[in-house]
Amino acid sequence: MLLKNVFTLISTRRKVVKFLKYYLIALLLQTTVMGQTQLPVWQKGFLDIHFISTGRGNAAFYLLPDGTSLLVDMGELPSGKDGRGSPAVPDSSKSAAQWVADYIHHFHPQGNQAVLDYVLITHYHGDHMGSAREAQRTHPEGKYKIFGITELGSIVPMRKLIDRGYDHPLDLRESAKETRSGSMRGVNQFEDYWKFIEYQKKSNGLVYEKFRVGSVTQLHLTNGQEFPHFTIKNLFANGDVAGIYDTTVAVRKFKKGELVDENNLSCGIKISYGKFDLYTGGDIPGIGHTGATDFFSMESYAAPVIGQVDVATLNHHGNRDSQNEYFVRTLQPRVWIGQSWTVRHPGEEVVRRITSRLVYPGDRDLFTNFLHPANQTFLGSMAEEHYKSTSGHIVLRVQAKGDQYDIFILDDKTTERSVLKQFKYGSR
C-alpha cells in the first residue's frame, strides 16, 4: 500500500511538473507574441501596401522595394452617421486626410519628414480624392479649399501627382461649368483641385502628369537597377486599355466628347515583383443592367491585360455592378481585398462570384477594412467561411524577390496600430 502511494505521488508530481513545463512554454510564447504587436519595420527589398482604414473612403500607402513611396487615392466623405456607413476611425477628432498623414508618418522610413514620391488619384469622386463641399477651411496662401487630397498635400510633401487628366473624353475645364457634368460634382471641386496643383507646383516643386496608359516607367523605382524584377504597368484610364504584351493602347472605349460615368474612367495598375502580381483599378464596373456579365464593360476589356494575379482589390469596393464572372475567372486571385466603408460593400452576388469554385478552383481569402454588421449578418456563412478579417488596416507585405507574402491586420481603433492577425501565403 505504501509503495502504491509512493508511485501515485511520483506520478502526480510528474504530471504537475509536465503541466508547469507546458504552461511556462505557453506563457513564454504568449508573452513573445504579445511583445511583438507592432508591425515589423519595413526593410529594403520588401513591398509593403497599406490599405488604410479611415471609414471615409480609399487611401492606400505603398512602400516599394527600394523605399520609393506611392499613395493611391485620398478619399474623404462624411462619416456614416446615418448607420449605413462606417464610423470615422480611429475617431472623428481629425479629418481623414490628417489621419492618413499621421499613418504615413508612423510607417514611412523618414517618419515625420516623409515625402511621397508619387500620388495617384484613380478618378474624380469624393471617396477617392475628397469633396470640396465638405471643406471647412481655405489654404491661406494657395486660396484653395482644404479637403482630402488638397489637405494631405498640404501636410505631407508630394513630388509627383498623377491623375487621368482633364481632356478626355470630355474637356473638364469646360464641362465642369455645365449642369450635365457629374464628374466632380460641380465646378468648385475642379477649381480648388487645380488651384492646389498650381500652388504646389510653384511653391514646392510638385510635378503633375497625366496617367499614361501602357507605360511601365511612369511609376518606377528610384533605384530600379537594384530590383529588375519589379514593374508597375499602367493598365487603363479614360476607357483606354493597354496591350497585353506591350505598352501600346489596344482599346479605346470612349469617343471624344462622350458623356461617361466617372467610374468607367478610373485608372488601373498592375504591380509585378518576381512571382507576385497585384491588381488595383479604382471603380470600373462590369455588370449590365440585367445583372449579367457585360462583355463590353471596362472590367471585360481590362481582364485580359491584367491576367492572373495573387492579390486583387475589389473594383468599386465590391458594389453590385462589379466583379463580373469573366473578370473573376480571368484574374483568379488567392486574396481579395475590399476597401469598404458602407453597408453596400460588398454586394451578396459579388461575394458569391468571387468565392465560387465553379468560377475558378482553389482557396481564396477575403479581407476588408469594414464589413457592416447588417451585411455580415446577411452574408451569413459566406462571410464566416471566407472573410479572414472584417475590420482594421490591411497591410500586404511581399517578401524580397516576391516568392512569399504576408497580410497583417492592424488595429484601426487606436494610433498604436498594433498587429491583430497575420496570414502567410506563397506566390503562384
Side-chain angles (χ1 to χ4, degrees), residues 345-420:
H345 306 159
E348 181 207 13
E349 54 272 68
V350 172
V351 178
R352 289 190 183 279
R353 285 192 291 272
I354 65 177
T355 60
S356 172
R357 289 177 182 249
L358 298 177
V359 177
Y360 69 96
D363 296 329
R364 73 290 313 259
D365 295 336
L366 277 55
F367 297 86
T368 184
N369 295 127
F370 170 76
L371 185 62
H372 196 287
N375 201 7
Q376 188 164 0
T377 300
F378 182 71
L379 292 173
S381 60
M382 283 194 297
E384 294 174 5
E385 181 180 355
H386 293 288
Y387 271 100
K388 298 301 181 182
S389 179
T390 56
S391 65
H393 307 292
I394 304 166
V395 181
L396 167 65
R397 170 166 290 172
V398 185
Q399 302 294 323
K401 300 182 180 179
D403 293 337
Q404 297 179 331
Y405 59 99
D406 299 86
I407 291 182
F408 298 87
I409 306 303
L410 309 187
D411 185 3
D412 63 1
K413 304 302 189 295
T414 73
T415 56
E416 295 299 318
R417 304 179 178 104
S418 56
V419 175
L420 302 177

Side-chain angles (χ1 to χ4, degrees), residues 56 76 79 88-96 98-99 151 415:
R56 313 284 290 278
E76 184 160 16
S79 59
V89 290
D91 56 45
S92 58
S93 64
K94 295 182 180 181
S95 66
Q98 290 170 341
W99 279 126
E151 181 170 23
T415 56

Side-chain angles (χ1 to χ4, degrees), residues 253 285-304 315 320-330 349-350 352-354 359:
K253 180 171 170 58
I287 300 296
H289 69 278
T290 63
T293 293
D294 179 0
F295 286 102
F296 298 98
S297 68
M298 278 304 301
E299 280 190 346
S300 297
Y301 283 124
N315 296 324
R320 291 181 171 182
D321 66 345
S322 62
Q323 277 65 235
N324 72 41
E325 188 170 329
Y326 170 64
F327 179 85
V328 174
R329 180 177 287 113
T330 302
E349 54 272 68
V350 172
R352 289 190 183 279
R353 285 192 291 272
I354 65 177
V359 177

Side-chain angles (χ1 to χ4, degrees), residues 61-169:
F61 171 57
Y62 294 54
L63 272 174
L64 307 184
D66 68 341
T68 301
S69 57
L70 162 68
L71 183 78
V72 177
D73 287 335
M74 179 55 252
E76 184 160 16
L77 294 178
S79 59
K81 297 179 180 180
D82 59 2
R84 293 182 295 176
S86 167
V89 290
D91 56 45
S92 58
S93 64
K94 295 182 180 181
S95 66
Q98 290 170 341
W99 279 126
V100 169
D102 186 76
Y103 189 101
I104 291 171
H105 289 155
H106 187 148
F107 290 106
H108 194 287
Q110 301 303 317
N112 291 340
Q113 303 304 312
V115 176
L116 289 168
D117 294 299
Y118 300 102
V119 175
L120 171 63
I121 300 298
T122 59
H123 62 294
Y124 302 137
H125 277 162
D127 55 332
H128 294 261
M129 67 174 297
S131 172
R133 293 179 300 170
E134 307 300 326
Q136 302 295 319
R137 295 175 294 132
T138 300
H139 192 278
E141 298 174 4
K143 305 303 179 184
Y144 54 81
K145 290 182 180 179
I146 295 175
F147 62 92
I149 187 61
T150 72
E151 181 170 23
L152 182 72
S154 302
I155 303 171
V156 182
M158 302 173 176
R159 291 196 170 100
K160 184 174 289 188
L161 174 63
I162 301 169
D163 61 29
R164 70 174 188 80
Y166 60 83
D167 57 351
H168 185 79

